[in-house]
Amino acid sequence: DIPPPPIAADNAKNPNGDAQYASLPPDVIPGTECLQDVVKRMLPYWYDAIVPDLSTHGTVLVGAHGNSLRALVKHLEGISDDDMAGLNIPTGIPLVYELDDDMKILGPGRYLDPEAAATAAAAVANQGKQ
């Protein structure tokens, strides 16, 4: 919940100069972000887009960046900040949640391929370790 230092304005990887963000005011593009920031940014999308789609269609596939998915899982499962460090979501393996009419989960999420998910989650956990 503590963001890293902001990216320098002259850093080549700073998104402010990216054409896809040209229509956005520079003050809405974060120079840094932590998971707590992602949760705050993701929750309006959950309530304004995903929940209405679920209510209308019953099933929704959400594809997103790893930290956005971690934020969504944190919200759905009520995972504490302390336990978030141990949450490793593998890439490209669907995680299914069943929800009640109030959009509360009926049980923990389940992977469609649990074996592949366990292997991939271990790989995610080991990223950056040498």
Side-chain angles (χ1 to χ4, degrees), residues 2-8 11 30-34:
I2 299 172
I7 190 168
N11 185 311
T32 185
E33 190 171 65
C34 64

Side-chain angles (χ1 to χ4, degrees), residues 59-64 69 72-73 76-77 88-98 108-118 120-121:
T59 300
V60 173
L61 175 66
V62 176
L69 293 174
L72 180 56
V73 169
L76 290 173
E77 294 196 18
N88 297 298
I89 299 177
T91 301
I93 301 172
L95 174 58
V96 178
Y97 285 95
E98 294 181 25
R110 63 179 172 79
Y111 287 99
L112 293 183
D113 186 341
E115 245 179 71

Side-chain angles (χ1 to χ4, degrees), residues 5 13 16 21 23 29 38 41-42 44 64 74 76 80-81 88 97 113 117 125-126:
K13 295 186 179 192
N16 288 338
Y21 303 118
S23 65
I29 302 172
V38 177
R41 188 167 44 86
M42 180 278 311
K74 177 181 177 27
L76 290 173
S80 72
D81 291 342
N88 297 298
Y97 285 95
D113 186 341
N126 289 318

